[in-house]
mmCIF file of all heavy atoms in Angstrom:
data_model
loop_
_atom_site.group_PDB
_atom_site.id
_atom_site.type_symbol
_atom_site.label_atom_id
_atom_site.label_comp_id
_atom_site.label_asym_id
_atom_site.label_seq_id
_atom_site.Cartn_x
_atom_site.Cartn_y
_atom_site.Cartn_z
ATOM 1 N N ASP A 14 113.334 44.888 112.452
ATOM 2 C CA ASP A 14 114.124 43.723 112.128
ATOM 3 C C ASP A 14 113.922 43.402 110.639
ATOM 4 O O ASP A 14 113.596 42.338 110.228
ATOM 5 C CB ASP A 14 113.547 42.537 112.945
ATOM 6 C CG ASP A 14 112.109 42.404 112.998
ATOM 7 O OD1 ASP A 14 111.457 43.325 112.278
ATOM 8 O OD2 ASP A 14 111.500 41.416 113.517
ATOM 9 N N ALA A 25 117.946 45.063 118.602
ATOM 10 C CA ALA A 25 118.675 44.426 119.692
ATOM 11 C C ALA A 25 118.904 45.470 120.763
ATOM 12 O O ALA A 25 119.214 46.592 120.504
ATOM 13 C CB ALA A 25 119.960 43.953 119.079
ATOM 14 N N ARG A 44 113.336 66.571 108.250
ATOM 15 C CA ARG A 44 112.465 67.735 108.011
ATOM 16 C C ARG A 44 111.311 67.252 107.220
ATOM 17 O O ARG A 44 111.486 66.575 106.145
ATOM 18 C CB ARG A 44 113.159 68.849 107.267
ATOM 19 C CG ARG A 44 114.407 69.363 108.052
ATOM 20 C CD ARG A 44 115.292 70.243 107.164
ATOM 21 N NE ARG A 44 114.804 71.614 107.114
ATOM 22 C CZ ARG A 44 115.521 72.661 107.685
ATOM 23 N NH1 ARG A 44 116.649 72.449 108.248
ATOM 24 N NH2 ARG A 44 115.008 73.780 107.534
ATOM 25 N N LEU A 66 99.176 70.966 94.784
ATOM 26 C CA LEU A 66 98.968 69.512 94.563
ATOM 27 C C LEU A 66 97.457 69.249 94.974
ATOM 28 O O LEU A 66 96.942 69.847 95.960
ATOM 29 C CB LEU A 66 99.818 68.738 95.458
ATOM 30 C CG LEU A 66 101.302 68.692 95.126
ATOM 31 C CD1 LEU A 66 102.096 68.223 96.287
ATOM 32 C CD2 LEU A 66 101.548 67.958 93.906
ATOM 33 N N THR A 73 98.177 61.604 104.559
ATOM 34 C CA THR A 73 97.242 62.000 105.605
ATOM 35 C C THR A 73 98.113 62.272 106.924
ATOM 36 O O THR A 73 99.253 61.871 107.056
ATOM 37 C CB THR A 73 96.244 60.850 105.992
ATOM 38 O OG1 THR A 73 97.032 59.738 106.430
ATOM 39 C CG2 THR A 73 95.435 60.451 104.705
ATOM 40 N N THR A 95 107.656 71.575 108.469
ATOM 41 C CA THR A 95 107.798 72.740 107.677
ATOM 42 C C THR A 95 106.762 72.580 106.515
ATOM 43 O O THR A 95 105.838 71.875 106.527
ATOM 44 C CB THR A 95 109.245 72.935 107.145
ATOM 45 O OG1 THR A 95 109.356 74.005 106.353
ATOM 46 C CG2 THR A 95 109.806 71.704 106.539
ATOM 47 N N LEU A 155 110.941 94.456 108.256
ATOM 48 C CA LEU A 155 110.023 95.029 109.269
ATOM 49 C C LEU A 155 109.262 96.166 108.663
ATOM 50 O O LEU A 155 108.465 96.817 109.293
ATOM 51 C CB LEU A 155 110.822 95.466 110.465
ATOM 52 C CG LEU A 155 111.499 94.364 111.265
ATOM 53 C CD1 LEU A 155 112.496 94.906 112.287
ATOM 54 C CD2 LEU A 155 110.427 93.478 112.076
ATOM 55 N N VAL A 196 116.686 94.622 97.790
ATOM 56 C CA VAL A 196 115.341 94.518 98.354
ATOM 57 C C VAL A 196 115.311 94.779 99.841
ATOM 58 O O VAL A 196 114.645 95.646 100.346
ATOM 59 C CB VAL A 196 114.642 93.196 98.028
ATOM 60 C CG1 VAL A 196 113.272 93.092 98.708
ATOM 61 C CG2 VAL A 196 114.592 92.964 96.566
ATOM 62 N N ARG A 206 119.616 94.510 114.944
ATOM 63 C CA ARG A 206 119.401 95.209 116.243
ATOM 64 C C ARG A 206 118.023 94.837 116.818
ATOM 65 O O ARG A 206 117.921 94.618 117.977
ATOM 66 C CB ARG A 206 119.403 96.797 115.949
ATOM 67 C CG ARG A 206 120.724 97.325 115.622
ATOM 68 C CD ARG A 206 120.768 98.842 115.651
ATOM 69 N NE ARG A 206 121.935 99.361 114.895
ATOM 70 C CZ ARG A 206 121.874 99.602 113.628
ATOM 71 N NH1 ARG A 206 120.793 99.595 112.906
ATOM 72 N NH2 ARG A 206 123.025 100.042 112.994
ATOM 73 N N VAL A 220 119.844 83.153 98.747
ATOM 74 C CA VAL A 220 118.832 82.704 97.849
ATOM 75 C C VAL A 220 119.302 81.431 97.158
ATOM 76 O O VAL A 220 120.403 81.376 96.628
ATOM 77 C CB VAL A 220 118.499 83.720 96.762
ATOM 78 C CG1 VAL A 220 117.443 83.128 95.769
ATOM 79 C CG2 VAL A 220 117.945 84.964 97.327
ATOM 80 N N PRO A 261 123.934 73.626 106.942
ATOM 81 C CA PRO A 261 124.803 74.684 106.279
ATOM 82 C C PRO A 261 125.150 75.956 107.086
ATOM 83 O O PRO A 261 125.897 76.720 106.650
ATOM 84 C CB PRO A 261 123.911 75.032 105.126
ATOM 85 C CG PRO A 261 122.511 74.723 105.502
ATOM 86 C CD PRO A 261 122.553 73.516 106.424
ATOM 87 N N GLY A 271 125.450 91.506 121.140
ATOM 88 C CA GLY A 271 125.169 90.241 121.882
ATOM 89 C C GLY A 271 124.220 89.313 121.100
ATOM 90 O O GLY A 271 123.414 88.650 121.647
ATOM 91 N N ILE A 277 123.524 81.048 106.277
ATOM 92 C CA ILE A 277 123.279 79.777 105.482
ATOM 93 C C ILE A 277 123.619 80.160 104.029
ATOM 94 O O ILE A 277 122.887 80.802 103.431
ATOM 95 C CB ILE A 277 121.861 79.327 105.688
ATOM 96 C CG1 ILE A 277 121.560 79.029 107.132
ATOM 97 C CG2 ILE A 277 121.580 78.127 104.769
ATOM 98 C CD1 ILE A 277 120.222 78.376 107.375
ATOM 99 N N ASP A 318 101.367 46.668 100.781
ATOM 100 C CA ASP A 318 101.084 45.551 101.704
ATOM 101 C C ASP A 318 102.149 45.154 102.667
ATOM 102 O O ASP A 318 101.945 44.277 103.492
ATOM 103 C CB ASP A 318 100.578 44.232 100.877
ATOM 104 C CG ASP A 318 99.320 44.608 100.019
ATOM 105 O OD1 ASP A 318 98.562 45.495 100.394
ATOM 106 O OD2 ASP A 318 99.210 44.003 99.022
ATOM 107 N N PRO A 350 116.599 76.991 87.343
ATOM 108 C CA PRO A 350 116.883 76.429 88.664
ATOM 109 C C PRO A 350 117.726 75.204 88.578
ATOM 110 O O PRO A 350 117.480 74.325 87.669
ATOM 111 C CB PRO A 350 115.459 76.106 89.231
ATOM 112 C CG PRO A 350 114.509 76.599 88.264
ATOM 113 C CD PRO A 350 115.137 77.094 87.038
ATOM 114 N N SER A 357 109.096 75.086 98.707
ATOM 115 C CA SER A 357 107.872 74.802 99.500
ATOM 116 C C SER A 357 107.450 73.346 99.365
ATOM 117 O O SER A 357 106.608 72.842 100.073
ATOM 118 C CB SER A 357 106.768 75.748 98.999
ATOM 119 O OG SER A 357 106.669 75.675 97.580
#
Side-chain angles (χ1 to χ4, degrees):
D14 50 358
R44 298 168 85 113
L66 293 164
T73 65
T95 177
L155 293 166
V196 178
R206 287 189 202 95
V220 176
I277 299 188
D318 301 329
S357 52

